[in-house]
């Protein structure tokens, strides 16, 4: 897994060559532990999982550190200005990789930045910064990374003298113009799509493993980080399964001895098994989970009366009474709880549910909490974006970090409560949009805008929830239609932001795009340059932007013109 690391403090002759984990440990970890460390962390689940693993490693060596969660680029810059004179070693987790660190921060020459970021593409100036920036990420082979000499040259100013227009100078100018045009083409090819690479938490877990400091708790963090990217449509199924195959041996290694042993009160056991594509069903009611899971929603067409009837027929065929399906799963009779997975698998072909089961991980903590990786991901992402009166903004981050531990049952229960409400709000909003036919076809893409005063609007004023709503909405909208054209149309979704002057806008790729490469980040950037509208890209996910409400019409007109 750690076969292609870039270390920018190495000399030019070794740039881009492979490095093993011994170098990762000696060049990164051994350097940062020599002094106090400043850690900036993005507000996402994978970043939280990576942070927990790094905290554990630093605690093992009694290393002091300062941890600061940052919501967007503006907050990252502001926080850096506050602490820049105190720290020389700065770690950035899922933030900073796609912005020019040196140009943005203007740091002292002694400052070193260690970036662990799953966002792609990485900023080209960071990649070729040899002295101050170190990436701990793998550079995927499919990234069309231009060579250094194709992007940088030192003779661009040598032919500026207008009085000396000799044939040699004219030829030099022509050659430079061609080089510049080629550079623009290479940069556009490299930057045109935003996507995600290997989960940062898996990279941190691999470091812990090679240092012989891994355990079940850290392994679960890596599993949650991977599941986060898959659940939020940042990683396709093939890539997900590839990463699952790397974690499975660790699950066997750490849990084989627990197979036949008695469960203790504070022991964590992880298993790899087939899991139902149902959200939170072990903690919700079976009926509510079936209604609020995207797979069953689309396959059973649960937005219609006919679909609702089909759902009840399914329950009747597997022998689950409505009275059982409508009560908490933990309160159902043991026979139903024990057999629901096999029963649903048996009738999956008849009800067009052939992919009802998928490979996943479950955790059992003593006799108390049984959590599937997807469920835990939903809980954590909900806590990150739950708005409560009297609760500081950064408190959401600390609540989610607490809920990552199975020991903190109170935080998990709190997250579950809000997760039920958030999933219900998402599917209710989808139903409203579809019933009122609010999705507009703009030719090259679909779009819709959530209006002020919409119930549960507080859930859609945050990036993670709005993106989740957009992906689910597009899947259901395509499933409702017989038109194959919709499979190839992306969706732009806008909702009122926390303040009253802006909209939060996200673009998601078409259903037919299985790789989840998103061109909206680059498209939004070009619209901001060409249309002179109040558009700002403050987030680390480039496909998410803030838009002045007054410029909404101008923005969509410019986007239609650009993509037509």
């Amino acid at each position: 897994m750690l076969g292609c690391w870039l270390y920018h403090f190495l000399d030019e002759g070794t740039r881009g060559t492979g490095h093993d984990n011994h170098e990762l440990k000696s060049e990164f970890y051994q350097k940062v532990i020599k002094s106090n460390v400043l850690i900036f962390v993005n507000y996402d689940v994978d970043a939280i999982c990576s942070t927990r693993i790094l905290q554990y490693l630093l605690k093992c060596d009694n290393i002091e550190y300062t941890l600061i969660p940052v919501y967007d680029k503006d907050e990252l810059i502001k926080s850096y200005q506050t602490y820049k004179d105190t720290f020389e070693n700065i770690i950035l987790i899922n933030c900073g990789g796609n912005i020019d660190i040196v140009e943005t921060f203007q740091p002292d020459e002694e400052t070193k930045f260690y970036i662990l970021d799953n966002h792609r593409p990485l900023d080209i100036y960071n990649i070729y910064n040899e002295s101050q920036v170190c990436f701990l990420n793998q550079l995927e082979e499919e990234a069309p990374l231009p060579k250094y000499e194709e992007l940088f040259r030192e003779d661009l100013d040598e032919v500026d003298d207008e009085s000396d227009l000799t044939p040699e100078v004219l030829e030099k100018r022509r050659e430079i113009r061609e080089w510049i045009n080629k550079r623009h083409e290479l940069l556009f090819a490299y930057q045109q799509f935003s996507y995600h690479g290997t989960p940062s938490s898996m990279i941190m877990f691999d470091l812990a493993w090679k240092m012989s400091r891994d355990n079940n708790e850290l392994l679960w963090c890596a599993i949650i980080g991977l599941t986060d990217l898959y659940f939020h449509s940042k990683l396709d199924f093939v890539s997900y399964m590839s990463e699952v195959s790397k974690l499975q041996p660790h699950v066997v290694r750490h849990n084989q001895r627990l197979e036949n042993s008695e469960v203790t009160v504070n022991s964590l056991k992880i298993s790899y098994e087939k899991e139902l594509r149902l959200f939170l069903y072990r903690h919700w009611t079976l009926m509510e989970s079936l209604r609020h899971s995207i797979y069953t929603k689309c396959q059973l067409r649960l937005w219609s009366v006919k679909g609702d009837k089909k759902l009840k027929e399914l329950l009747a065929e597997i022998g689950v009474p409505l009275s059982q399906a409508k009560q908490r799963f933990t309160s159902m009779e043991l026979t139903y709880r024990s057999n629901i997975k096999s029963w649903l698998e048996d009738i999956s072909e008849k009800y067009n549910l052939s992919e009802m089961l998928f490979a996943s991980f479950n955790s059992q903590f003593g006799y108390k909490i049984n959590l599937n990786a997807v469920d835990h991901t939903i809980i954590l992402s909900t806590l990150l974006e739950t708005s409560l009166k009297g609760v500081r903004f950064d408190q959401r981050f600390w609540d989610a970090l607490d809920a990552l531990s199975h020991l903190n049952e109170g935080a998990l229960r709190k997250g579950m409560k809000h997760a039920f409400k958030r999933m219900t709000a998402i599917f209710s909003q989808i139903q409203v949009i579809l019933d009122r036919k609010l999705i507009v076809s703009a030719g090259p893409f679909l779009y819709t805008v959530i209006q002020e005063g919409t119930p549960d609007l507080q859930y859609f004023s945050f990036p993670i929830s709005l993106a989740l709503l957009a992906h689910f909405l597009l899947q259901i909208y395509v499933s409702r239609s017989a038109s194959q054209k919709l499979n190839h149309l992306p969706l732009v979704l806008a909702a009122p932001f926390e303040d009253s002057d802006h909209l939060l806008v996200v673009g998601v790729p078409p259903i037919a795009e299985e790789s989840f490469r998103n061109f909206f980040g680059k498209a939004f950037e070009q619209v901001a340059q060409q249309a002179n509208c109040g558009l700002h890209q403050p987030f680390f996910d480039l496909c998410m932007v803030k838009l002045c409400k007054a410029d909404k019409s101008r923005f969509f007109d410019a986007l239609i013109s650009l993509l037509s």
Side-chain angles (χ1 to χ4, degrees):
M1 179 178 175
L2 297 171
C4 185
W5 301 99
L6 279 184
Y7 288 99
H8 305 303
F9 40 74
L10 299 177
D11 61 16
E12 184 176 352
T14 61
R15 184 196 294 120
T17 58
H19 302 281
D20 60 24
N21 192 264
H22 175 73
E23 291 185 12
L24 174 63
K25 178 181 175 181
S26 62
E27 299 290 358
F28 158 60
Y29 191 75
Q30 297 300 334
K31 284 179 180 291
V32 299
I33 65 175
K34 293 180 179 179
S35 61
N36 290 351
V37 182
L38 176 62
I39 307 172
F40 290 117
V41 187
N42 188 20
Y43 276 70
D44 70 63
V45 176
D46 180 43
I48 287 177
C49 295
S50 306
T51 301
R52 174 54 58 84
I53 299 173
L54 181 58
Q55 283 181 312
Y56 177 82
L57 296 178
L58 295 176
K59 183 179 179 180
C60 288
D61 290 306
N62 297 314
I63 305 303
E64 294 184 1
Y65 62 89
T66 298
L67 177 63
I68 302 175
V70 289
Y71 184 66
D72 55 23
K73 298 175 187 175
D74 297 333
E75 191 172 338
L76 174 61
I77 295 170
K78 180 180 178 181
S79 298
Y80 174 76
Q81 295 301 322
T82 302
Y83 293 93
K84 65 179 181 179
D85 297 327
T86 309
F87 299 90
E88 290 186 357
N89 290 319
I90 299 174
I91 301 174
L92 300 100
I93 301 179
N94 283 358
C95 58
N98 54 12
I99 62 175
D100 187 344
I101 289 293
V102 174
E103 177 68 22
T104 302
F105 290 159
Q106 298 293 315
D108 296 333
E109 293 183 358
E110 295 77 17
T111 305
K112 303 292 184 182
F113 296 92
Y114 301 90
I115 301 177
L116 179 62
D117 196 348
N118 62 40
H119 296 98
R120 301 291 186 275
L122 300 169
D123 185 85
I124 206 74
Y125 290 96
N126 290 340
I127 291 176
Y128 287 111
N129 185 315
E130 301 174 15
S131 58
Q132 292 187 271
V133 181
C134 165
F135 276 107
L136 308 181
N137 298 88
Q138 254 180 316
L139 289 184
E140 284 73 16
E141 293 181 358
E142 65 269 19
L145 180 64
K147 297 178 181 179
Y148 182 87
E149 60 272 13
E150 295 175 322
L151 298 175
F152 307 99
R153 58 189 296 171
E154 299 177 355
D155 59 349
L156 293 180
D157 298 327
E158 292 181 6
V159 291
D160 287 344
D161 188 357
E162 295 289 342
S163 62
D164 186 20
L165 296 180
T166 63
E168 292 78 10
V169 171
L170 293 174
E171 176 63 21
K172 184 69 172 179
R173 286 187 175 182
R174 185 193 64 79
E175 189 266 330
I176 287 179
R177 280 198 302 270
E178 291 179 355
W179 181 87
I180 291 175
N181 291 334
K182 180 65 175 177
R183 181 181 189 273
H184 288 162
E185 292 175 4
L186 291 170
L187 282 175
F188 182 82
Y190 177 73
Q191 298 171 347
Q192 63 179 323
F193 295 108
S194 59
Y195 58 103
H196 291 78
T198 303
S200 299
S201 52
M202 289 192 63
I203 294 173
M204 286 308 305
F205 174 77
D206 210 72
L207 174 61
W209 171 47
K210 292 296 176 63
M211 295 173 64
S212 300
R213 290 180 177 175
D214 60 314
N215 54 45
N216 245 5
E217 286 74 17
L218 302 190
L219 175 58
W220 186 248
C221 290
I223 289 170
I224 295 301
L226 171 61
T227 306
D228 169 53
L229 266 64
Y230 177 58
F231 175 73
H232 290 103
S233 300
K234 298 176 180 179
L235 208 63
D236 62 79
F237 184 70
V238 173
S239 299
Y240 167 75
M241 288 305 301
S242 175
E243 300 299 335
V244 164
S245 66
K246 298 172 185 176
L247 291 175
Q248 189 180 1
H250 293 293
V251 171
V252 173
R253 180 169 56 88
H254 280 288
N255 295 274
Q256 194 170 29
R257 62 183 178 82
L258 299 175
E259 288 292 333
N260 300 318
S261 61
E262 294 185 3
V263 178
T264 60
V265 176
N266 291 322
S267 66
L268 174 64
K269 181 180 178 181
I270 302 173
S271 58
Y272 171 74
E273 57 191 86
K274 290 183 178 180
E275 185 55 84
L276 293 171
R277 293 184 184 272
L278 297 179
F279 301 154
L280 300 162
Y281 76 92
R282 289 188 180 89
H283 316 284
W284 214 347
T285 72
L286 181 60
M287 180 67 81
E288 290 299 306
S289 181
L290 284 163
R291 291 185 188 279
H292 297 97
S293 297
I294 187 61
Y295 182 70
T296 48
K297 191 79 170 181
C298 292
Q299 299 304 108
L300 298 176
R301 305 178 71 83
L302 295 180
W303 53 79
S304 63
V305 174
K306 186 177 179 180
D308 189 66
K309 181 180 178 181
K310 192 173 184 179
L311 173 59
K312 292 176 181 178
E313 290 177 356
L314 182 152
L315 290 172
E317 181 155 346
I318 64 176
V320 177
L322 289 179
S323 59
Q324 291 286 321
K326 290 182 178 180
Q327 61 180 298
R328 282 295 179 97
F329 186 83
T330 52
S331 301
M332 292 174 65
E333 293 181 11
L334 181 60
T335 302
Y336 300 121
R337 284 188 283 131
S338 302
N339 295 291
I340 189 65
K341 189 184 296 186
S342 60
W343 289 346
L344 286 173
E345 185 177 16
D346 290 342
I347 55 90
S348 59
E349 294 294 336
K350 179 178 180 180
Y351 286 88
N352 194 28
L353 299 172
S354 58
E355 298 180 1
M356 188 66 184
L357 298 177
F358 77 109
S360 185
F361 299 91
N362 287 311
S363 65
Q364 177 71 51
F365 187 70
Y367 298 100
K368 297 180 180 180
I369 302 175
N370 187 344
L371 276 176
N372 173 256
V374 172
D375 293 346
H376 205 168
T377 297
I378 294 173
I379 291 169
L380 295 175
S381 62
T382 300
L383 287 171
L384 278 174
E385 296 190 338
T386 298
S387 180
L388 298 174
K389 292 183 178 180
V391 177
R392 297 194 324 273
F393 185 80
D394 61 345
Q395 187 59 45
R396 302 170 191 165
F397 177 91
W398 305 117
D399 287 345
L401 190 61
D402 287 342
L404 184 55
S405 170
H406 288 70
L407 285 169
N408 200 330
E409 188 175 0
L412 286 169
R413 299 296 181 191
K414 173 185 174 182
M416 285 181 195
K417 177 182 176 182
H418 290 292
F420 300 148
K421 294 179 180 178
R422 184 177 74 140
M423 299 308 294
T424 301
I426 286 175
F427 284 97
S428 296
Q429 184 60 42
I430 291 174
Q431 193 72 45
V432 169
I433 292 173
L434 297 177
D435 289 345
R436 296 182 181 179
K437 300 180 179 180
L438 299 178
I439 295 181
V440 178
S441 176
F445 63 92
L446 307 167
Y447 76 90
T448 188
V449 180
I450 300 175
Q451 302 300 318
E452 289 278 6
T454 298
D456 300 314
L457 185 59
Q458 70 271 18
Y459 291 108
F460 313 127
S461 297
F462 298 102
I464 299 176
S465 295
L466 186 67
L468 192 63
L469 171 61
H471 283 287
F472 285 179
L473 175 60
L474 184 57
Q475 290 182 55
I476 293 176
Y477 185 70
V478 171
S479 297
R480 281 169 56 103
S481 174
S483 174
Q484 292 298 314
K485 179 183 177 182
L486 294 180
N487 287 302
H488 302 278
L489 290 180
L491 172 70
V492 177
L493 176 63
F497 196 50
E498 288 181 306
D499 60 62
S500 58
D501 299 324
H502 291 86
L503 293 171
L504 191 62
V505 183
V506 64
V508 298
I511 297 297
E513 182 60 57
E514 297 180 355
S515 67
F516 297 123
R517 287 176 175 258
N518 196 325
F519 61 82
F520 276 111
K522 193 65 176 178
F524 290 157
E525 178 186 319
Q526 292 178 330
V527 167
Q529 294 172 353
Q530 298 172 9
N532 192 29
C533 57
L535 192 68
H536 183 37
Q537 283 183 313
F539 303 104
F540 302 106
D541 279 320
L542 301 179
C543 59
M544 184 82 58
V545 295
K546 284 172 61 177
L547 171 68
C548 287
K549 289 182 178 179
D551 295 328
K552 181 179 69 174
S553 297
R554 188 187 308 155
F555 165 77
F556 280 108
D557 289 343
L559 189 60
I560 293 171
S561 176
L562 176 67
L563 299 180
S564 294

